[in-house]
Amino acid sequence: MRTRQKDRGTPGPSEPWNEIVPGLWMGGHYHHPPDGELEPVVVGRQFDLVVSLFTLPGHGPAAGVEHVVREVPDRPLSPGQLLAVQEAARLTAAAVRRGRRTLVRCHSGYNRSGLVVAQALVELGRGTDEAVRLVRERRSPWALNNPVFVDYLNTGLDVAVLLTGLNG
């Protein structure tokens, strides 16, 4: 099975998830170990909260683990989708502040999860440039390879919601 990133020449992630800052993890539904084939990532009870921006049956989390689903596409977002991202980032930041092990995931764990994790880092007091750098450094250099998502972060999600609303 090939992921969409691999189809675009982007290698799949080598790890199921990576810790970006203490308590905040970023991952996907698939990973590609360096010495193996593409493997599904199934979340059990490793986390207190799982925030999914993409879901597939059978990928967890286990029953009893808090699971917040805010499905958004990996393309330019509508104002409503940006508000869902903003809500997911605020929930994520609040969970990290409370010491909850939190995983934010999407398909491969690069773009949608990167947008939410970077915005959560901003909510936690990091600058945008630092947030993007941490996501790329700790998850993958391929993280946040969707330039529109980086533009949203640089603009600020509040302003991005307003600007995207002008187009509709």
Side-chain angles (χ1 to χ4, degrees):
M1 174 186 290
R2 294 179 61 181
T3 67
R4 286 168 284 175
Q5 277 74 23
K6 289 187 90 167
D7 291 339
R8 293 190 305 229
T10 303
S14 60
E15 301 292 331
W17 45 69
N18 299 89
E19 192 170 27
I20 308 303
V21 295
L24 177 55
W25 298 75
M26 183 171 148
H29 281 67
Y30 295 96
H31 79 289
H32 195 275
D35 59 346
E37 296 294 316
L38 191 67
E39 296 178 4
V41 173
V42 179
V43 178
R45 298 187 176 282
Q46 300 94 331
F47 301 96
D48 302 310
L49 170 64
V50 176
V51 177
S52 296
L53 304 158
F54 171 88
T55 59
L56 284 174
H59 287 253
V65 174
E66 185 178 359
H67 188 203
V68 173
V69 177
R70 299 292 182 267
E71 291 204 28
V72 295
D74 186 3
R75 63 174 188 266
L77 303 177
S78 70
Q81 291 165 335
L82 281 166
L83 288 171
V85 164
Q86 196 168 42
E87 177 195 12
R90 287 181 177 148
L91 288 169
T92 298
V96 171
R97 277 190 200 101
R98 291 193 311 268
R100 299 181 74 204
R101 286 178 52 91
T102 303
L103 170 67
V104 179
R105 67 182 183 165
C106 58
H107 185 271
S108 292
Y110 283 165
N111 284 314
R112 292 168 276 190
S113 58
L115 177 59
V116 169
V117 167
Q119 182 61 36
L121 291 171
V122 169
E123 298 279 337
L124 291 166
R126 309 277 179 146
T128 302
D129 290 342
E130 181 185 7
V132 171
R133 181 188 58 75
L134 282 169
V135 163
R136 289 177 174 157
E137 182 180 284
R138 307 262 167 90
R139 176 63 176 160
S140 168
W142 296 100
L144 285 171
N145 64 57
N146 181 335
V148 173
F149 286 7
V150 175
D151 288 346
Y152 291 149
L153 291 164
N154 286 326
T155 301
L157 291 187
D158 287 333
V159 174
V161 167
L162 295 172
L163 292 175
T164 57
L166 295 175
N167 294 331

